[in-house]
Amino acid sequence: MISELVDDSVAAAAPRPRTWVAPLMSSVVTLPVALLAYVSAAAVRFGAGAEWAFTVFGWGLTVALLTLATAWLLPWEERFMARRRGFSVAAPFAVVATFVLYLALVDWP
């Protein structure tokens, strides 16, 4: 009797269909925008102040890519849908925020 109760309470959660759409759309947006931002940041890199700003920019891109990886690596269950969508939306915005921060930190002549 106890084993039947345990079996009922530990039923495996069924994965939701199309939970991969949000991370895929985020990847399609985030990766090209991150590459474009990196190329743009590397092109305007000059002076001693820009080296520090470029280091901050690199760490910001790392955070954005880790956010995207988290969206992909969350378990494929319904209870993680909101978190997956949140991380998927946050990744492209993290890239844009990082680029704006880089432009603010560069000591323009």
Side-chain angles (χ1 to χ4, degrees), residues 78-100:
E78 184 174 353
R79 64 184 176 149
F80 292 106
M81 286 286 292
R83 291 181 196 157
R84 183 180 318 282
R85 287 181 186 155
F87 282 117
S88 296
V89 168
F93 285 113
V95 172
V96 172
T98 299
F99 188 67
V100 169

Side-chain angles (χ1 to χ4, degrees), residues 9-109:
S9 65
V10 186
R16 289 269 316 238
R18 294 185 301 272
T19 55
W20 51 269
V21 173
L24 179 66
M25 290 176 57
S26 181
S27 296
V28 166
V29 172
T30 301
L31 296 176
V33 169
L35 180 64
L36 181 66
Y38 182 79
V39 169
S40 299
V44 298
R45 199 167 107 173
F46 54 86
E51 291 300 321
W52 184 78
F54 196 73
T55 302
V56 171
F57 177 73
W59 282 106
L61 281 184
T62 302
V63 168
L65 294 177
L66 286 174
T67 304
L68 181 62
T70 303
W72 277 107
L73 295 175
L74 281 171
W76 300 97
E77 297 173 6
E78 184 174 353
R79 64 184 176 149
F80 292 106
M81 286 286 292
R83 291 181 196 157
R84 183 180 318 282
R85 287 181 186 155
F87 282 117
S88 296
V89 168
F93 285 113
V95 172
V96 172
T98 299
F99 188 67
V100 169
L101 178 64
Y102 171 74
L103 293 177
L105 289 176
V106 169
D107 187 21
W108 297 99

